[in-house]
């Protein structure tokens, strides 16, 4: 059986900051579509919940991917 794993990081355009892994409430999905839809939705909620001044000062953004994982 194949599942999809959501991997998400929070990044900054500032050179001194490295991307940090973001734990997400849901990590495993039955198909790619549900994974990527969840990734975009969670990313939007996360960024929208940050203080705009903080987001602007760090030029913060998220990145995510949905990777295939074989489940035995």
């Amino acid at each position: 059986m194949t599942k999809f794993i959501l991997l998400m990081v929070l990044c900054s355009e500032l050179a001194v900051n490295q991307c940090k892994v973001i734990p997400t409430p849901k990590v495993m999905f039955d198909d790619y579509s549900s994974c990527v839809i969840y990734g975009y939705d969670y990313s939007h909620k996360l960024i929208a919940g940050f203080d705009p001044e903080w987001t602007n000062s760090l030029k913060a953004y998220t990145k995510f991917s949905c990777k295939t994982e074989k489940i035995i």
Side-chain angles (χ1 to χ4, degrees):
M1 176 193 285
T2 301
K3 296 281 188 175
F4 291 84
I5 306 297
L6 177 65
L7 305 169
M8 186 174 282
V9 293
L10 179 63
C11 302
S12 168
E13 285 189 16
L14 303 180
V16 296
N17 293 327
Q18 295 181 351
C19 294
K20 306 287 186 207
V21 174
I22 302 170
T24 58
K26 188 170 181 183
V27 178
M28 195 170 294
F29 299 85
D30 291 330
D31 59 34
Y32 179 82
S33 179
S34 59
C35 181
V36 76
I37 288 169
Y38 184 89
Y40 278 114
D41 185 53
Y42 188 75
S43 180
H44 174 263
K45 288 177 183 173
L46 191 68
I47 291 291
F50 292 150
D51 176 42
E53 189 175 312
W54 181 84
T55 304
N56 289 329
S57 68
L58 290 179
K59 296 185 178 169
Y61 62 96
T62 60
K63 295 190 328 184
F64 72 90
S65 61
C66 294
K67 302 290 184 185
T68 304
E69 183 76 19
K70 297 251 188 239
I71 305 298
I72 298 174

